[in-house]
């Protein structure tokens, strides 16, 4: 029998030729084969998808270790006493944390959940830094008992910790979180005690007069994706000045300066048109500024521990998301649009990043401005508002990067199940590090009251 397949009609579009205009796919109007990625660390995209499905998060152990070692090297050659602490909220998958703990990072947690997750993984209390504005009382008891370093966020927490000290009959060592003006806007003033207003000094006075806690550290985290190394210089200058004031006036010895995280990854922020290779300073520039500021302002022979809470800059570039083209459309505006199987519910950073987009195959045809939509039935589900792409057939795989930071923690189960996450080891071995979800994950904690059961069947 002969089947007559009618081709779907697609409205023709006329595009003005822009001579000399270079787009990321070459500029002649034809796709020249750049931005093609057929594998990640030698493992083919097709093989990954056939085994684990699409969408799929893929992490490169090689890249992760390499990024951490660059950071470590940059600081340890310049300052003798450095600790690196992994910011759990950036990515708290067991496998990712394990690699970073294996590299020597301690754990930086900001909730009782993250604290428990680090402990469960085998991190001892002394290797945990407990930060954040909300630390439930019981978790403070546990943290003090287990010798975790706690950075106090507000006056109520000083009271809580004094209570813990009484309860346990010990004198806990604590740090305080400071916020300050480093020239970065908006200034993160909601966490910790403000320096310039005198609030931080009041906190020290309060701790000294209570005489139940030993103040040994200062903590500060000035923001995230800080593109200005000078801001850290200012942070260090102010922290050191304050540390010596505390030592001289109150007799507390400040043993550590925890300067937080905030280093950028090589990702492109929306609204910044220079490529990240140009707009993002190297880690060496940060390390140089920070260590110079330390060595210039510290007293002779005084080398308090410098703590860096690493996050985005270490993990972002080790993460990729493979997603598949499900459909193509032409919008009334003439713009080409694609429906992908991955949306903003699993790509939280899509709201401020413009990802690098690679395609798994050569495609010939005119590139044109295209918009990438996710699978959600929500208008906000836009993965990329405008990017030049050749005509992508259904089934084309796109590889988005960097997506290693903040996506597999801030993702939410919404409309669709969350996908699997795999890790490619240094020898090309592929391990599933988080299974994709199914219905049981979602209904596991639901209860249907008996009186509602079967009513409408
Ligand atoms: C989130 C966070 C970090 C990590 O920040 P990045 O910008 O990812 O480097 C470090 N310290 C604290 C206190 C944080 O809240």
């Amino acid at each position: 029998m002969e089947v007559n397949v009618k081709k779907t009609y697609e409205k023709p579009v006329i595009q003005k030729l822009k001579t000399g205009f270079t787009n990321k796919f070459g500029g002649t109007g034809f796709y020249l084969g750049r931005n093609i990625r057929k594998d990640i660390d030698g493992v083919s995209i097709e093989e990954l998808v056939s085994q684990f499905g699409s969408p799929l998060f893929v992490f490169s152990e090689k890249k992760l270790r390499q990024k951490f070692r660059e950071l470590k090297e940059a600081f340890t050659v310049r300052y003798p006493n450095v600790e690196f602490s992994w910011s759990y909220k950036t990515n708290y998958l067991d496998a990712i944390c394990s690699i970073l703990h294996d590299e020597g990072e301690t754990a930086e947690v900001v909730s009782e959940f993250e604290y428990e997750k680090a402990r469960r993984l085998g991190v001892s209390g002394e290797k945990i830094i407990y930060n954040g504005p909300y630390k439930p009382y019981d978790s403070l008891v546990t943290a003090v008992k287990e010798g975790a370093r706690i950075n106090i966020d507000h006056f109520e927490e000083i009271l809580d910790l004094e209570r813990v000290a009484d309860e346990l009959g010990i004198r806990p060592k604590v740090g305080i979180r400071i916020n300050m003006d480093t020239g970065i806007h908006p200034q993160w003033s909601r966490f910790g005690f403000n320096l310039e207003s005198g609030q931080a000094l009041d906190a020290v006075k309060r701790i000294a007069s209570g005489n139940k806690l030993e103040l040994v550290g200062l903590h500060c985290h000035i923001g995230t994706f800080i593109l200005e190394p000078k801001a850290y210089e200012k942070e260090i200058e102010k922290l050191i000045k304050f540390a010596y004031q505390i030592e001289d006036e109150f007799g507390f010895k400040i043993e550590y300066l925890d300067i937080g995280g905030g280093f950028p990854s090589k990702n492109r922020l929306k609204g910044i048109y220079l490529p990240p290779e140009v707009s993002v300073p190297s880690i060496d520039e940060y390390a140089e500024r920070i260590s110079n500021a330390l060595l210039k302002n510290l007293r002779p022979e005084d080398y308090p521990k410098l703590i860096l809470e690493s996050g985005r800059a270490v993990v972002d570039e080790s993460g990729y998301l493979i997603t598949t083209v499900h459909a193509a459309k032409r919008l009334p505006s003439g713009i080409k649009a694609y429906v992908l199987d991955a949306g903003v519910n699993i790509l939280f950073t899509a709201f401020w990043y413009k990802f690098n987009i690679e395609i798994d195959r050569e495609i010939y045809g005119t590139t044109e401005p295209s918009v990438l939509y996710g699978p959600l039935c929500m208008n906000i589900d836009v993965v990329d508002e405008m990017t030049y792409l050749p005509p992508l057939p259904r089934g084309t795989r796109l590889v988005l990067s960097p997506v290693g930071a903040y996506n597999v923690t801030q993702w939410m189960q919404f409309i669709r199940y969350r996908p699997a996450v795999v890790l490619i080891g240094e020898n090309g071995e592929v391990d599933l590090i988080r299974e994709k979800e199914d219905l049981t994950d979602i209904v596991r904690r639901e209860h249907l009251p008996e009186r509602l059961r079967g009513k409408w069947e």
Side-chain angles (χ1 to χ4, degrees):
M1 198 182 89
E2 213 176 81
V3 183
N4 202 359
V5 182
K6 193 169 173 249
K7 280 196 172 171
T8 48
Y9 173 77
E10 191 168 299
K11 182 180 145 195
V13 263
I14 297 171
Q15 267 187 288
K16 200 168 150 189
L17 262 186
K18 299 185 187 115
T19 46
F21 178 81
T22 311
N23 66 51
K24 65 188 285 198
F25 289 102
T28 63
F30 290 95
Y31 191 49
L32 292 180
R34 269 186 272 169
N35 290 77
I36 289 185
R37 174 187 281 277
K38 295 189 176 177
D39 69 272
I40 296 170
D41 286 3
V43 183
S44 91
I45 304 296
E46 214 36 59
E47 197 181 312
L48 287 165
V49 170
S50 67
Q51 206 179 337
F52 302 101
S54 172
L56 179 69
F57 277 100
V58 182
F59 281 87
S60 160
E61 181 172 350
K62 194 159 100 188
K63 189 82 188 180
L64 181 60
R65 289 188 188 269
Q66 179 202 326
K67 290 303 290 188
F68 174 73
R69 286 171 193 173
E70 279 171 19
L71 177 79
K72 184 177 169 184
E73 165 95 5
F75 282 90
T76 49
V77 297
R78 291 178 169 96
Y79 188 74
N81 189 9
V82 196
E83 173 180 331
F84 300 88
S85 201
W86 175 239
S87 156
Y88 263 46
K89 77 169 187 294
T90 310
N91 188 321
Y92 43 62
L93 288 172
D94 283 351
I96 299 297
C97 295
S98 292
I99 291 169
L100 294 170
H101 295 322
D102 180 52
E103 290 286 340
E105 288 213 73
T106 56
E108 187 269 332
V109 304
V110 292
S111 70
E112 74 281 29
F113 149 66
E114 289 184 3
Y115 188 95
E116 286 168 15
K117 199 160 192 296
R119 291 287 292 118
R120 167 186 154 277
L121 197 56
V123 182
S124 65
E126 305 96 72
K127 293 206 163 159
I128 297 179
I129 298 173
Y130 192 9
N131 288 329
Y134 190 91
K135 305 182 186 83
Y137 183 78
D138 288 348
S139 72
L140 285 175
V141 174
T142 307
V144 169
K145 264 190 203 159
E146 297 180 343
R149 280 161 294 172
I150 301 166
N151 291 316
I152 300 175
D153 190 79
H154 43 69
F155 286 101
E156 279 81 357
E157 202 175 310
I158 297 176
L159 281 176
D160 285 344
L161 280 164
E162 288 181 342
R163 222 179 104 201
V164 176
D166 283 342
E167 199 178 311
L168 300 178
I170 51 177
R171 187 178 167 89
K173 289 183 166 190
V174 297
I176 52 172
R177 178 155 178 178
I178 308 288
N179 68 71
M180 60 171 75
D181 179 12
T182 57
I184 292 296
H185 295 284
Q187 193 182 322
W188 282 23
S189 55
R190 55 172 289 183
F191 302 109
F193 303 95
N194 183 256
L195 185 65
E196 290 85 4
S197 70
Q199 193 182 44
L201 188 61
D202 286 345
V204 178
K205 283 181 189 158
R206 177 63 191 76
I207 290 171
S209 65
N211 199 23
K212 291 179 181 179
L213 308 172
E214 185 71 24
L215 180 62
V216 296
L218 296 181
H219 172 231
C220 185
H221 172 65
I222 58 174
T224 192
F225 219 99
I226 304 291
L227 289 166
E228 187 46 80
K230 263 194 202 144
Y232 290 94
E233 196 173 79
K234 202 160 261 167
E235 179 188 359
I236 298 274
E237 277 169 19
K238 290 188 173 188
L239 280 181
I240 292 178
K241 192 160 167 250
F242 190 48
Y244 287 139
Q245 184 186 354
I246 294 169
E247 291 187 16
D248 296 344
E249 290 179 24
F250 300 88
F252 290 125
K253 172 79 189 103
I254 299 301
E255 296 166 6
Y256 68 83
L257 298 173
D258 180 341
I259 64 164
F263 301 150
S265 57
K266 293 243 173 328
N267 216 325
R268 189 190 300 242
L269 287 185
K270 288 181 178 170
I272 293 186
Y273 292 99
L274 290 171
E277 289 68 29
V278 181
S279 65
V280 176
S282 70
I283 204 68
D284 279 299
E285 288 175 62
Y286 292 91
E288 187 71 16
R289 290 263 179 198
I290 289 167
S291 45
N292 282 347
L294 284 167
L295 299 173
K296 198 173 112 197
N297 293 285
L298 285 170
R299 290 173 181 169
E301 303 302 313
D302 188 25
Y303 299 107
K305 181 176 268 182
L306 170 69
I307 301 178
L308 292 157
E309 298 169 346
S310 67
R312 189 192 305 279
V314 166
V315 78
D316 210 12
E317 289 152 66
S318 68
Y320 303 83
L321 179 72
I322 303 175
T323 170
T324 305
V325 173
H326 181 70
K329 308 189 164 185
R330 180 72 62 190
L331 303 180
S333 59
I335 296 279
K336 188 79 182 252
Y338 294 97
V339 180
L340 308 178
D341 62 1
V344 295
N345 60 316
I346 60 166
L347 271 179
F348 207 81
T349 59
F351 292 118
W352 59 91
Y353 281 164
K354 189 156 176 64
F355 302 117
N356 182 34
I357 298 169
E358 295 166 298
I359 300 172
D360 70 333
R361 62 194 73 174
E362 281 90 4
I363 292 169
Y364 296 93
T366 312
T367 63
E368 57 175 307
S370 310
V371 50
L372 300 178
Y373 292 129
L376 307 181
C377 209
M378 294 282 282
N379 207 35
I380 56 157
D381 192 18
V382 184
V383 172
D384 196 313
E385 288 110 357
M386 208 288 277
T387 188
Y388 279 84
L389 290 169
L392 305 179
R394 184 178 217 189
T396 307
R397 316 281 183 205
L398 304 183
V399 182
L400 311 185
S401 64
V403 300
Y406 296 104
N407 287 307
V408 298
T409 48
Q410 285 186 285
W411 58 358
M412 56 178 164
Q413 188 281 310
F414 178 56
I415 299 185
R416 301 198 73 223
Y417 300 121
R418 285 178 290 191
V421 185
V422 298
L423 176 73
I424 301 179
E426 288 179 298
N427 300 315
E429 62 275 47
V430 181
D431 288 297
L432 180 64
I433 59 172
R434 194 178 193 275
E435 289 172 26
K436 64 176 164 215
E437 288 174 340
D438 63 25
L439 190 57
T440 59
D441 294 303
I442 295 150
V443 298
R444 197 164 73 88
R445 294 190 186 275
E446 285 197 41
H447 299 279
L448 183 63
E450 200 51 52
R451 64 192 164 76
L452 299 177
R453 202 179 296 269
K455 274 274 168 63
W456 35 265
E457 270 169 12

